[in-house]
């Protein structure tokens, strides 16, 4: 099924830039989860990039395709109908506006709260309608797969860091009170760019606040990450694999050893990009601070202790590109 090629997103002035063909960065770490030694590769990737790709992840292709199809069905509804389920605050349907602090982008999205209950109990009214049964079914199965995959990767991180218990990270996102979310993004082709050889901000540069993000997208390019020297590089899309982002919370727990990767998405005039992102977050009252197990002799903590609730409040008050961790530094 094709995504809308003539989107009815609110017509506003968004920053456009001349399109400069960018070759895909060949240095993105690829981790095969089925082989011995993947834990060490993951740790190296988290230290150098805060970003890597996983293969042989065990998530059924049929499930991935089913959720993408359901997402496309939703985004193909009329704009008037979609806007009945917004504006996102923060959950629900959003179009163009990202948060309440002035960030905009050429995208529309669904942000869904994940709890211990079925996702059909979400505050999004659309998911309570009879026509959304297959959507809910796909969402619930997908979220369960993402929880398991995120947990597996977090335990491999602990193994690679040689710390016990192995679930020291994963127990946070597997907790019944875990504050995790699922975001479905649609970056439509922008008619204003057709023939202009330009690109537009789809989602501006930012880091993710949670511990870990598990991203899957279709075969449309647009995702870019920032390297340590500040250079932006383009990521080759791969609909068969998952991309993993280190989030701010994991950077804190590792005292900066793992880096929270800055990333962004650019849209173009001709191709739709659809992405599905699971954000594994801690419970609201979880206290975050560098783990003593990871502090070397004489090493000082880079961050003061704070709760996830405190940090989330800070994140909601900030712009996308702000350094939210700065105010928690020692």
């Amino acid at each position: 099924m094709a995504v809308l090629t003539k989107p009815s997103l609110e017509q506003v002035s968004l920053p456009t830039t001349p399109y400069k063909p960018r070759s895909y960065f060949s240095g993105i770490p690829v981790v095969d989860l089925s082989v011995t030694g993947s834990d060490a590769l993951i740790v190296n990737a988290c230290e150098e990039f805060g970003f890597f790709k996983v293969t042989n992840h065990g998530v059924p292709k049929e499930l991935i395709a089913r959720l993408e199809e359901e997402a496309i069905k939703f985004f193909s509804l009329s704009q008037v109908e979609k806007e009945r389920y917004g504006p996102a605050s923060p959950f629900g349907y959003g179009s163009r506006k990202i948060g309440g602090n002035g960030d905009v982008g050429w995208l529309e999205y669904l942000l869904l709260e994940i709890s211990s209950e079925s996702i059909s109990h979400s505050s999004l009214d659309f998911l309570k309608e009879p026509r959304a049964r297959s959507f809910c079914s796909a969402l619930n199965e997908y979220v369960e797969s993402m929880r398991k995959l995120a947990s597996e990767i977090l335990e491999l991180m602990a193994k690679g860091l040689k710390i016990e218990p192995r679930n020291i990270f994963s127990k946070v996102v597997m907790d019944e009170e875990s504050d995790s979310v699922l975001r479905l993004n649609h970056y439509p082709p922008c008619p204003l760019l057709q023939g202009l050889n330009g690109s537009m901000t789809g989602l501006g540069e930012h880091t993710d606040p949670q511990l870990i993000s598990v991203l899957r997208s279709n075969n449309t390019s647009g995702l870019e990450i920032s390297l340590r020297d500040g250079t932006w590089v383009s990521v080759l899309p791969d609909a068969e694999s998952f991309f993993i982002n280190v989030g701010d919370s994991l950077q804190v727990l590792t005292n900066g050893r793992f880096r929270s990767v800055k990333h962004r998405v650019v849209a173009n005039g001709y191709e739709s990009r659809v992405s599905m992102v699971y954000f594994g977050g801690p419970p609201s009252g979880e206290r975050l601070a560098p783990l003593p197990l990871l502090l070397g002799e004489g090493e000082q903590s880079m961050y003061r202790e704070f709760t996830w609730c405190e940090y989330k409040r800070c994140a909601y008050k900030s712009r996308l590109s702000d350094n939210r961790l700065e105010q928690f530094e020692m």
Side-chain angles (χ1 to χ4, degrees), residues 6-75:
K6 293 185 178 180
S8 52
L9 291 178
E10 188 177 350
Q11 296 297 312
V12 295
S13 177
L14 289 170
T16 61
T17 56
Y19 179 72
K20 297 179 181 178
R22 190 196 299 273
S23 59
Y24 294 116
F25 181 60
S26 61
I28 300 296
V30 180
V31 180
D32 183 340
L33 294 180
S34 69
V35 304
T36 302
S38 58
D39 56 313
L41 294 176
I42 287 174
V43 167
N44 289 339
C46 291
E47 291 176 341
E48 179 62 25
F49 298 99
F51 182 84
F52 56 96
K53 180 171 80 171
V54 295
T55 61
N56 287 316
H57 44 72
V59 181
K61 294 179 182 178
E62 298 77 14
L63 173 58
I64 298 169
R66 187 152 61 96
L67 181 56
E68 182 178 287
E69 183 179 357
E70 292 294 339
I72 289 171
K73 284 180 184 177
F74 177 85
F75 290 126

Side-chain angles (χ1 to χ4, degrees), residues 77-225:
L77 296 173
S78 71
Q79 193 65 26
V80 170
E81 190 166 8
K82 286 182 289 190
E83 287 179 353
R84 287 173 50 201
Y85 310 110
S89 60
F91 302 109
Y93 173 76
S95 175
R96 187 185 68 86
K97 295 180 181 179
I98 307 165
N101 301 303
D103 289 298
V104 294
W106 186 257
L107 87 160
E108 56 181 346
Y109 62 91
L110 273 178
L111 188 63
L112 303 172
E113 184 178 18
I114 297 172
S115 69
S116 56
E117 293 187 279
S118 165
I119 208 160
S120 61
H121 291 82
S122 164
S123 57
L124 182 65
D125 288 340
F126 177 79
L127 295 178
K128 300 174 185 176
E129 299 176 8
R131 61 175 170 165
R133 283 176 186 154
S134 59
F135 197 0
C136 283
S137 174
L139 283 167
N140 284 320
E141 287 186 48
Y142 190 81
V143 165
E144 186 60 28
S145 291
M146 291 301 98
R147 276 198 181 110
K148 291 178 180 177
L149 180 57
S151 178
E152 178 185 359
I153 292 169
L154 288 168
E155 290 183 10
L156 285 170
M157 289 178 185
K159 180 181 178 183
L161 290 168
K162 297 179 172 56
I163 56 175
E164 295 284 354
R166 286 287 186 260
N167 70 342
I168 196 165
F169 299 133
S170 65
K171 67 180 180 181
V172 177
V173 300
M174 294 298 285
D175 191 290
E176 283 192 0
E177 301 301 320
S178 168
D179 185 19
S180 298
V181 297
L182 183 72
R183 184 180 177 113
L184 305 176
N185 293 321
H186 174 217
Y187 304 89
C190 180
L192 300 174
L193 295 175
Q194 292 176 8
L196 297 180
N197 200 29
S199 62
M200 179 176 284
T201 298
L203 186 61
E205 63 181 75
H206 64 286
T207 59
D208 296 334
Q210 294 84 358
L211 270 78
I212 188 173
S213 307
V214 184
L215 162 72
R216 184 268 172 190
S217 69
N218 62 357
N219 274 318
T220 299
S221 62
L223 177 62
E224 299 180 344
I225 66 167

